[in-house]
Amino acid sequence: MESILTLLLSTVILRPYVFIFLFVYLLGCSLHLGVKRTLLFAVAGYLVTWLSEYSSIHNGFPYGTYYYIEQTKGSELWVFGVPFMDSLSYVFLAYASYSMALLTLSPLRVSNGIVYLLETRAIRNSLLTRVLGTIFLVYLDIIIDPVALQGNRWFLGQIYGYPAEGAYFGVPISNFAGWFLVGFILLLVLQKIDYYMSIGKIKDHAGYHYKWRHLIGPALYVGILIFNLSVTFYIGEYTMGWAGVFIIALPLSLLFIASKKKVSRPENQNEMADHLRDFPEAVI
């Protein structure tokens, strides 16, 4: 146990950026969905992701065949051949993507200069939210994986590789298909945790009086994008960096335009009533 705690502490020191993003997830998801939901998804999401990665490095499914390079084994926590921080990262990436889907699909209201989501339980748990969130997650991976593959050129280090060079800056297309499948499962797990806790009337602690609580997830999403694109340009991969910028520019632009139209239209009292019916504790 002491050895595991020591390795976990070493992992935090070695990968501070991962745990900064994790902290933002813990804060944002707790205020938005509730503390219990946040912790349950952190555990369940990690297990789903670890199983997917363990399967892929041994069986080639779902991401295709790849391998981890255990250069940091002994100086950070690994779990049966998979870096702990890698599987853990999926948790906050999935929540950030889920938040972007909610921002896209929920009615919006501006209150004291803050954009507030009039989400409902139906929107939270819909198939459309799950699919759209999964697409947002794959967009993140399109930015993250190519620069992560160049980890020997920045502070990540070379932690993984592919037997053969893939079609997209060295990354095989099967990787993105795997991310879609696993992302879909992760968001399904998150939705089911929220759903069953709601119908079971299990008390949770969310920050309903913080009007800006819905914006932490989207801010996390944008922060992850900026971090990875900045690293891409820093190591001199300008083609890769500009490809990422152009790929992500369209969905973010469409989201901005749609959000602007939603907040500028006349207020719909039915949308407000639906939101307060599901979240009567909310302060708007």
Side-chain angles (χ1 to χ4, degrees):
M1 176 62 71
E2 184 178 351
S3 176
I4 293 175
L5 292 176
T6 301
L7 286 173
L8 182 58
L9 179 60
S10 299
T11 306
V12 175
I13 295 171
L14 186 64
R15 313 289 187 192
Y17 50 95
V18 172
F19 290 90
I20 290 172
F21 289 138
L22 179 65
F23 172 78
V24 177
Y25 157 74
L26 292 172
L27 173 65
C29 193
S30 294
L31 293 177
H32 177 200
L33 303 182
V35 174
K36 293 177 183 177
R37 287 168 169 82
T38 299
L39 296 178
L40 278 173
F41 180 61
V43 174
Y46 172 82
L47 291 175
V48 168
T49 305
W50 180 85
L51 284 170
S52 72
E53 295 194 290
Y54 184 84
S55 173
S56 213
I57 61 177
H58 289 87
N59 307 309
F61 179 82
Y63 306 103
T65 302
Y66 70 100
Y67 54 88
Y68 280 112
I69 302 169
E70 299 184 352
Q71 289 182 345
T72 60
K73 195 168 186 178
S75 58
E76 69 173 316
L77 183 60
W78 288 65
V79 181
F80 297 106
V82 179
F84 174 74
M85 66 88 185
D86 195 74
S87 300
L88 188 64
S89 298
Y90 280 68
V91 172
F92 58 75
L93 295 175
Y95 171 71
S97 302
Y98 176 69
S99 299
M100 292 292 282
L102 290 178
L103 179 62
T104 304
L105 298 173
S106 299
L108 302 179
R109 180 177 186 268
V110 175
S111 176
N112 296 322
I114 297 175
V115 177
Y116 186 90
L117 273 66
L118 298 177
E119 61 176 343
T120 62
R121 297 286 183 196
I123 295 174
R124 273 193 185 183
N125 295 292
S126 71
L127 175 62
L128 182 56
T129 298
R130 193 185 319 148
V131 171
L132 187 58
T134 302
I135 293 171
F136 273 115
L137 181 61
V138 174
Y139 267 107
L140 274 181
D141 186 52
I142 289 171
I143 306 300
I144 293 171
D145 252 320
V147 68
L149 194 57
Q150 303 294 324
N152 62 314
R153 298 168 60 188
W154 55 290
F155 46 83
L156 174 67
Q158 192 70 47
I159 62 170
Y160 78 106
Y162 297 99
E165 185 174 354
Y168 183 73
F169 296 105
V171 180
I173 302 303
S174 60
N175 175 73
F176 303 120
W179 270 72
F180 188 92
L181 175 61
V182 175
F184 187 87
I185 295 171
L186 285 172
L187 295 192
L188 175 62
V189 169
L190 177 57
Q191 288 179 320
K192 292 304 181 185
I193 289 171
D194 180 55
Y195 175 75
Y196 285 115
M197 287 188 66
S198 298
I199 64 172
K201 301 187 184 302
I202 298 174
K203 289 186 178 181
D204 206 348
H205 305 282
Y208 290 110
H209 55 290
Y210 294 108
K211 297 179 181 180
W212 41 265
R213 68 185 184 276
H214 298 101
L215 303 180
I216 300 177
L220 174 61
Y221 188 94
V222 173
I224 293 167
L225 283 177
I226 292 173
F227 172 81
N228 283 276
L229 287 172
S230 297
V231 171
T232 305
F233 283 109
Y234 174 76
I235 64 175
E237 289 288 347
Y238 298 109
T239 302
M240 183 191 300
W242 284 115
V245 169
F246 290 134
I247 286 170
I248 203 65
L250 178 60
L252 292 186
S253 297
L254 291 175
L255 174 58
F256 175 78
I257 293 168
S259 299
K260 191 173 181 180
K261 286 186 175 180
K262 284 195 286 185
V263 298
S264 62
R265 65 184 173 84
E267 186 171 303
N268 187 322
Q269 292 302 318
N270 290 332
E271 294 171 348
M272 178 72 73
D274 290 342
H275 175 68
L276 292 176
R277 179 198 64 221
D278 287 348
F279 306 103
E281 309 96 328
V283 176
I284 302 175

